[in-house]
Amino acid sequence: MADSFSKKENFKKKIQKQKEKALRREERKTNNNKGAEDVFMYVDEFGRLTSTPPEQRQEVNLDDIQLGAAPIIEEDPRKTGIVTFLSEKGYGFITEDNSKENIFFHNNNCTEPVKKGNKVSFEKEKSPKGFSAVEIQLVK
């Protein structure tokens, strides 16, 4: 049986639409200029992106670049302070001169008897409950 006139027309329209769609696709492919221009960015001295190159280039010595954490500066193990509290039970606290930190001490760690208000020198030692002073000596 032969196709009716409207079926033939609809088929022709469908074929025509497919051709137009293919032409538009090809046109988009040929006229696509996305990313055609090269975008080159620079980083200025403040870390911001700019499109202008820097005026002068600074040379960096590779030995000056430090990787990792900053080196720990060794400090003097001997500290000084003043006895601010002394208990009859044999313990007390020393206020360190530099950091004004209170450090616990016990009379067993003293080389000579100390009193409240004495200026002493000592070494800090890490204990389970914090820092404690050891090798305590009177400063004259």
Side-chain angles (χ1 to χ4, degrees):
M1 178 143 213
D3 289 336
S4 66
F5 177 76
S6 64
K7 282 187 178 180
K8 287 180 185 178
E9 287 297 312
N10 286 340
F11 184 72
K12 286 180 185 178
K13 287 180 182 178
K14 184 177 178 182
I15 296 294
Q16 184 64 30
K17 283 184 179 180
Q18 287 176 351
K19 287 180 183 177
E20 289 174 2
K21 189 174 181 180
L23 281 173
R24 287 195 304 265
R25 188 179 314 124
E26 286 299 319
E27 185 179 329
R28 279 196 307 269
K29 284 183 182 178
T30 57
N31 293 338
N32 184 7
N33 59 1
K34 287 184 183 176
E37 61 184 54
D38 290 334
V39 177
F40 194 80
M41 299 298 282
Y42 299 94
V43 179
D44 66 1
E45 64 270 10
F46 303 111
R48 297 179 296 215
L49 293 176
T50 63
S51 58
T52 57
E55 286 83 35
Q56 55 178 311
R57 185 175 176 167
Q58 294 179 340
E59 292 296 322
V60 176
N61 186 1
L62 295 180
D63 296 331
D64 293 341
I65 298 174
Q66 178 184 344
L67 299 177
I72 298 173
I73 300 169
E74 192 66 34
E75 57 184 43
D76 185 23
R78 203 83 184 141
K79 312 237 186 255
T80 59
I82 297 175
V83 177
T84 54
F85 176 77
L86 187 60
S87 172
E88 305 88 33
K89 295 181 180 179
Y91 67 90
F93 289 93
I94 300 171
T95 302
E96 189 178 344
D97 288 339
N98 294 339
S99 65
K100 303 299 182 203
E101 179 183 5
N102 286 334
I103 300 163
F104 174 83
F105 78 93
H106 196 273
N107 279 344
N108 295 343
N109 297 329
C110 298
T111 57
E112 35 196 288
V114 295
K115 297 179 184 173
K116 184 177 177 182
N118 286 356
K119 186 162 180 81
V120 294
S121 68
F122 60 94
E123 291 185 17
K124 273 171 72 171
E125 182 181 84
K126 183 78 172 157
S127 67
K129 293 184 179 179
F131 285 108
S132 63
V134 293
E135 298 182 24
I136 304 166
Q137 298 175 345
L138 284 175
V139 174
K140 303 212 173 10

